[in-house]
Amino acid sequence: MNQLPTKYPYLPTWCPGCGNFGIMNAIKMAILKSGIPREKFVVVYDIGCAGNMADFLDLYGFHGLHGRALPPAAGIKLANHDLKVIVVIGDGGCYGEGATHFINLMRGNHDITVLVHDNHRYSLTTGQMSPTTDQGTKTKSTPEGALEVPMKPLALAVSNHATFIAREFSGNIPQLSMRIGQAIAHEGFSLIDTLQICSVYNPTQDLKWYKEHTVGLEMIGHDPSDKAAAWARAMEEDKLPVGLFYQEKRPAYHQLVSELQSATLLNHDKSVVKMDELLNEYR
Ligand code: SF4
């Protein structure tokens, strides 16, 4: 039965007011609504406050190293492309340490859904500057204010050929859940940059701040099939657009691998593999 248990052995340990509560609920709602059996989902967690969700979500999962959640996610999909693979990762892990993986998996259109919990800080390690921290912001690692200008992750996604690009807010659970459902259904690389409240290390960007500094893409008549318009929206400075920036249909990576056309790698006939011959090549 496609139901998530209502009782969990461990309750979330996130701080009161943390946006991770909303994102986790949105994931659960999207999975329940998808109609896909929950044993068909695998969630790959990065290290960070977001990654602690590994202890609270009763789904198949893998907890990767910091910044390295994307490669095992791609590997899981290639090993068994019948699975739906979701990555839970922070802005530091995805856009900092994991940026090379992020760029190259988008180019390959690997069929994984990447949920970036973007709170503009390294929060698990007590609030250092991340790639999306605003210039001039004072953090524990930038006591005189951040010197770098922040990364534009959605522009990076547009320019590196991601086929589903969205931004949502952790405080709008119904819309975030709906978007996660779309991303799960999308065949190819899907990114949802989720603006996440960190009530402890980024208290300025709270619910009120996000209400004042975001604007819905549907309110401004954006066409998600228009790549040039998606780029322009991704580069906007004044107000952060929220919604679906861009979506296109392109074969996913596993659909282009000839060996995976007849069956998942998992279901290949392993008796025909001559392991001794293979190993001898490396001796
Ligand atoms: Fe959430 Fe920030 Fe607390 Fe981490 S430090 S649990 S991101 S509120």
Side-chain angles (χ1 to χ4, degrees):
M1 208 155 75
N2 190 32
Q3 275 192 337
L4 299 180
T6 50
K7 287 188 178 170
Y8 292 86
Y10 303 106
L11 291 172
T13 50
W14 296 312
C15 312
C18 176
N20 285 326
F21 288 100
I23 300 175
M24 185 170 79
N25 281 325
I27 294 171
K28 286 194 223 170
M29 285 167 61
I31 288 176
L32 284 172
K33 206 167 173 196
S34 73
I36 301 167
R38 68 188 179 98
E39 61 269 23
K40 289 286 183 187
F41 286 88
V42 179
V43 185
V44 182
Y45 306 88
D46 205 67
I47 299 296
C49 291
N52 290 350
M53 197 185 293
D55 294 332
F56 320 136
L57 201 55
D58 193 10
L59 292 165
Y60 287 125
F62 180 87
H63 208 161
L65 299 174
H66 191 37
R68 312 297 168 206
L70 293 177
I76 290 166
K77 186 72 189 185
L78 288 175
N80 184 0
H81 59 258
D82 280 346
L83 297 174
K84 292 285 183 185
V85 182
I86 297 172
V87 177
V88 165
I89 188 167
D91 44 304
C94 192
Y95 305 144
E97 291 90 336
T100 309
H101 308 307
F102 178 56
I103 289 170
N104 289 300
L105 294 194
M106 289 191 290
R107 291 174 46 240
N109 200 28
H110 287 261
D111 186 13
I112 59 176
T113 294
V114 179
L115 302 178
V116 181
H117 298 224
D118 189 356
N119 58 25
H120 309 140
R121 297 288 186 279
Y122 282 95
S123 293
L124 189 71
T125 50
T126 68
Q128 293 81 5
M129 167 196 170
S130 84
T132 53
T133 303
D134 283 339
Q135 192 175 33
T137 305
K138 290 187 178 178
T139 70
K140 197 169 263 190
S141 60
T142 54
E144 295 182 359
L147 301 178
E148 293 96 330
V149 291
M151 180 188 275
K152 296 274 190 198
L154 300 192
L156 200 60
V158 173
S159 60
N160 284 283
H161 316 291
T163 51
F164 183 104
I165 304 167
R167 180 192 281 135
E168 294 297 346
F169 174 47
S170 65
N172 189 343
I173 298 173
Q175 177 152 327
L176 175 58
S177 173
M178 177 276 295
R179 198 68 69 202
I180 293 171
Q182 284 182 344
I184 288 169
H186 177 79
E187 287 190 329
F189 191 99
S190 50
L191 166 71
I192 305 179
D193 179 71
T194 305
L195 302 169
Q196 181 231 319
I197 291 174
C198 173
S199 48
V200 174
Y201 296 111
N202 188 2
T204 308
Q205 293 179 322
D206 59 5
L207 190 61
K208 182 169 174 287
W209 189 93
Y210 278 116
K211 278 192 174 159
E212 290 168 358
H213 290 82
T214 54
V215 59
L217 281 172
E218 71 282 2
M219 304 284 285
I220 47 181
H222 175 69
D223 173 5
S225 68
D226 184 339
K227 199 165 192 176
W231 171 267
R233 298 297 181 201
M235 293 300 289
E236 280 184 15
E237 299 278 348
D238 294 343
K239 284 208 168 192
L240 295 167
V242 168
L244 181 60
F245 282 62
Y246 184 66
Q247 185 172 18
E248 70 166 283
K249 200 166 168 47
R250 182 156 60 86
Y253 190 95
H254 69 271
Q255 293 169 334
L256 298 173
V257 178
S258 57
E259 290 89 343
L260 300 181
Q261 301 308 305
S262 58
T264 63
L265 191 58
L266 186 73
N267 289 323
H268 275 213
D269 179 5
K270 290 155 198 80
S271 66
V272 300
V273 179
K274 297 187 173 71
M275 282 306 289
D276 286 345
E277 283 181 21
L278 271 175
L279 291 173
N280 278 337
E281 286 184 30
Y282 296 96
R283 290 200 173 111

